[in-house]
């Protein structure tokens, strides 16, 4: 599967999961969903998923895209941040290949602002590998399982997609 095919799969999954979608040039696909949970200390979280494609992703490219996605989400959905409301961003770069440093960045970094954070994700189709933060962050830990569920549901492991395509 190529980057555009994988992005189409993600788009289908976003719709099925109840996200509203739009395309935002040059960034790509953006999905938004508003959720409220008592276990999140009775807060509302605006989950925003930014998805872009590229032939190759570097750590610097992923960091820039993640920061841009976080800034966009704060402007679009974060007007009342901190008043029982926050912004959670999944910044996913789908690439034919990725630097080891890009995978490392995705696994160790969660950029944060006031009542807003982003989980960078690398989908490396060439290596059939998806990388994202696996630990429990100190700030925003209450949302960790939600973010992992969203990443798992929306951005399937490329090796599983490739295996399904071969069958």
């Amino acid at each position: 599967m190529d980057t555009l095919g994988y992005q189409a799969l993600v788009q289908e999954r976003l719709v099925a999961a109840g996200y509203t979608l739009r395309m935002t040039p040059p960034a790509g696909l953006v999905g938004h969903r508003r959720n409220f949970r008592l276990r999140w200390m009775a807060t509302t979280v605006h989950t925003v998923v930014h998805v872009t494609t590229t032939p190759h992703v570097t750590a610097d490219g992923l960091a820039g895209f993640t920061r841009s996605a976080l800034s966009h989400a704060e402007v679009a959905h974060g007007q009342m941040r901190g008043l029982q409301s926050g912004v959670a961003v999944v910044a996913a770069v789908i690439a034919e290949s990725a630097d080891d440093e890009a995978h490392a960045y995705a696994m160790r970094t969660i950029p944060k602002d006031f009542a807003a954070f982003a989980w960078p994700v690398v989908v490396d189709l060439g290596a059939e590998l998806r990388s994202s933060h696996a630990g429990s962050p100190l700030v925003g830990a209450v949302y960790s399982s939600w973010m992992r569920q969203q990443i798992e549901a929306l951005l399937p492991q490329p090796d599983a997609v490739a295996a399904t395509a071969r069958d």
Side-chain angles (χ1 to χ4, degrees):
M1 176 175 286
D2 65 2
T3 56
L4 294 178
Y6 188 94
Q7 184 181 33
L9 174 66
V10 172
Q11 184 171 344
E12 291 171 11
R13 287 175 172 229
L14 283 163
V15 169
Y19 284 81
T20 56
L21 302 180
R22 68 180 184 278
M23 294 298 285
T24 58
L29 179 64
V30 178
H32 170 257
R33 182 172 152 178
R34 184 175 168 259
N35 296 90
F36 173 84
R37 300 280 190 279
L38 287 174
R39 69 175 174 245
W40 294 341
M41 298 173 281
T43 59
T44 297
V45 172
H46 294 272
T47 307
V48 182
V49 180
H50 279 250
V51 182
T52 194
T53 61
T54 187
H56 181 79
V57 64
T58 64
D60 287 343
L62 179 61
F65 177 71
T66 301
R67 186 47 68 185
S68 175
L70 181 57
S71 295
H72 169 268
E74 289 172 338
V75 169
H77 304 286
Q79 295 81 8
M80 300 298 287
R81 284 180 297 147
L83 300 173
Q84 295 304 104
S85 180
V87 174
V89 177
V90 175
V93 177
I94 304 164
E96 294 296 334
S97 64
D99 288 351
D100 290 341
E101 293 82 13
H103 287 285
Y105 179 87
M107 291 188 292
R108 74 171 187 271
T109 307
I110 298 179
K112 299 171 193 80
D113 281 340
F114 176 70
F117 61 91
W119 286 48
V121 179
V122 172
V123 179
D124 183 342
L125 297 177
E128 295 185 349
L129 179 64
R130 181 193 69 211
S131 298
S132 65
H133 197 276
S136 185
L138 201 52
V139 176
V142 69
Y143 306 108
S144 294
S145 65
W146 168 255
M147 294 303 285
R148 284 191 195 93
Q149 288 170 2
Q150 296 311 292
I151 291 166
E152 191 63 37
L154 303 172
L155 301 156
Q157 286 286 359
D159 59 345
V161 173
T164 302
R166 287 189 291 264
D167 292 342

